């Protein structure tokens, strides 16, 4: 069953909400990296949170690029996402083995978000200090301070010691401008009492089931459902275009000193080889 993202509003017009099930996507992403269960957990939380926020604030062909750096042993966590349900990311040190998320990420750092708008606009970058190092909390703080949209981002990943992902999902709930205080109070009480997100998914209650556990079925109007997935792999031709952005002296150095070039894709772990003839062709075409 494909991973999905569901958008809905409450019938009382107090909240807009998005939920995601990214279990299969995370299992696929985990296979690209020699990650520990903690490394997979971190990657999953970042991918899910980025997808949720990008679908809340982007439209069309816009994209979101995120860097999380808390000076913890995990190092930087980098993600990219589109408004159409595509995402990718990596953890600089996927073999991190701390006991908890906050210790792995660290708390002395920042979350930086760059929105790539249409081709005629300059990218917009916003940066906030980490709120807790739990990643979803940090995105919640970003939504409030940089986007000025009161929201709650909550994600959950269940991965075992054998690196099997049993569930990965979450939600973002944003208060609409006329949200009533009593509705906000009920919402936070419901979130406090709801079961863990991974339990809802593992019981087969689906993506929409995450939202039902908060608002109930009678107060939700589903707007859309779309599939989510990882970005497709780049082709060798696309990597060649990247190499063509280097000057000829740099390319010539690769020919003479290294007898070729190897590019390692940080998102997938793929290794792309260019021999001396291919590098020479790139220089000739320039």
């Amino acid at each position: 069953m494909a991973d999905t993202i569901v958008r809905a509003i409450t019938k009382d017009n107090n909240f807009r909400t998005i939920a995601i099930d990214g279990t299969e996507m995370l299992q696929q992403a985990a296979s690209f990296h020699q990650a520990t269960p903690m490394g997979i957990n971190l990657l999953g939380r970042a991918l899910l949170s980025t997808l949720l926020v990008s679908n809340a604030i982007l439209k069309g062909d816009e994209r979101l690029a995120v860097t999380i750096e808390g000076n913890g042993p995990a190092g930087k966590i980098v993600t990219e996402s589109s408004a159409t349900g595509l995402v990718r990311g990596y953890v600089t040190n996927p073999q991190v083995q701390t006991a908890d998320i906050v210790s792995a990420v660290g708390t002395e750092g920042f979350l930086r978000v760059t929105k790539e708008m249409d081709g005629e606009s300059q990218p917009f970058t916003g940066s906030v200090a980490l709120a807790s190092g739990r990643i979803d909390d940090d995105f919640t703080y970003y939504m409030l301070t940089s986007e000025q949209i009161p929201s709650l981002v909550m994600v959950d990943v269940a991965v075992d010691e054998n690196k099997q992902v049993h569930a990965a999902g979450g939600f973002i709930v944003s208060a609409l401008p006329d949200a009533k205080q009593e509705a906000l109070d009920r919402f936070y009480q419901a979130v406090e009492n709801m079961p863990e997100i991974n339990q809802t998914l593992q019981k087969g209650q689906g993506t929409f089931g995450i939202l039902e556990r908060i608002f109930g079925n009678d107060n939700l109007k589903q707007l859309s459902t779309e599939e989510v997935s990882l970005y497709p792999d780049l082709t060798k031709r696309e990597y060649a275009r990247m190499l063509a952005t280097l000057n000829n002296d740099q390319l010539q150095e690769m020919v003479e000193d290294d007898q070729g070039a190897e590019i390692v894709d940080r998102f997938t772990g793929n290794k792309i080889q260019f021999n001396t003839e291919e590098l020479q062709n790139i220089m000739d075409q320039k």
Side-chain angles (χ1 to χ4, degrees):
M1 184 175 179
D3 291 337
T4 56
I5 191 162
V6 173
R7 300 174 186 86
I9 60 171
T10 56
K11 294 178 181 178
D12 58 15
N13 292 317
N14 284 303
F15 301 101
R16 181 185 65 174
T17 183
I18 303 171
I20 185 173
D21 178 358
T23 305
E24 294 183 13
M25 174 193 69
L26 179 56
Q27 188 69 73
Q28 181 184 358
S31 68
F32 298 152
H33 310 278
Q34 295 180 339
T36 60
M38 177 55 70
I40 296 171
N41 196 327
L42 296 176
L43 178 61
R45 294 175 72 86
L47 291 174
L48 294 167
S49 297
T50 303
L51 263 174
L52 289 166
V53 168
S54 66
N55 276 266
I57 66 175
L58 300 183
K59 60 183 183 296
D61 295 328
E62 296 173 353
R63 294 158 63 103
L64 210 66
V66 177
T67 299
I68 303 167
E69 187 169 13
N71 295 319
K76 290 183 182 179
I77 303 172
V78 177
T79 55
E80 295 180 8
S81 178
S82 72
T84 57
L86 294 174
V87 71
R88 60 186 173 188
Y90 65 85
V91 180
T92 304
N93 177 21
Q95 298 180 347
V96 60
Q97 297 193 41
T98 57
D100 61 82
I101 294 164
V102 175
S103 297
V105 176
T107 58
E108 299 297 324
F110 60 87
L111 181 149
R112 183 170 60 240
V113 176
T114 299
K115 288 189 287 186
E116 298 179 5
M117 317 300 280
D118 58 62
E120 298 179 358
S121 301
Q122 291 295 321
F124 169 80
T125 298
S127 182
V128 296
L130 294 183
S132 71
R134 287 183 50 83
I135 298 178
D136 52 0
D137 287 349
D138 303 309
F139 275 91
T140 295
Y141 185 58
Y142 169 81
M143 287 293 291
L144 178 62
T145 57
S146 287
E147 298 294 332
Q148 297 183 340
I149 304 174
S151 305
L152 176 65
V153 180
M154 186 173 290
V155 299
D156 191 16
V157 174
V159 54
D160 64 26
E161 60 184 11
N162 296 316
K163 306 179 184 179
Q164 179 66 39
V165 180
H166 296 283
F171 64 83
I172 179 171
V173 174
S174 301
L176 294 173
D178 295 328
K180 297 177 175 58
Q181 185 59 50
E182 54 267 30
L184 291 167
D185 294 339
R186 287 195 303 272
F187 164 67
Y188 285 113
Q189 186 65 42
V191 169
E192 186 175 335
N193 295 328
M194 70 180 291
E196 293 183 0
I197 295 169
N198 79 78
Q199 293 178 4
T200 299
L201 293 176
Q202 290 188 74
K203 288 178 180 177
Q205 295 173 345
T207 313
F208 196 70
I210 297 172
L211 302 178
E212 290 179 319
R213 305 298 293 200
I214 306 171
F215 297 106
N217 186 38
D218 294 338
N219 191 31
L220 284 169
K221 179 182 178 182
Q222 184 170 327
L223 301 177
S224 66
T225 302
E226 294 178 359
E227 292 186 5
V228 295
S229 63
L230 299 175
Y231 276 100
D233 291 352
L234 295 178
T235 64
K236 188 169 184 177
R237 179 176 295 181
E238 289 172 306
Y239 284 110
R241 284 200 291 265
M242 294 180 191
L243 285 174
T245 63
L246 302 176
N247 62 52
N248 277 359
D249 289 342
Q250 292 172 299
L251 292 171
Q252 188 63 43
E253 186 176 337
M254 294 178 188
V255 171
E256 296 176 354
D257 295 349
D258 303 321
Q259 287 76 55
E262 178 182 86
I263 300 175
V264 179
D265 190 320
R266 294 297 300 268
F267 295 106
T268 65
N270 291 340
K271 296 181 179 180
I272 300 88
Q273 307 285 343
F274 288 86
N275 59 34
T276 55
E277 182 179 353
E278 290 169 323
L279 291 176
Q280 187 62 53
N281 285 338
I282 292 173
M283 287 189 285
D284 292 343
Q285 289 173 12
K286 291 180 64 178

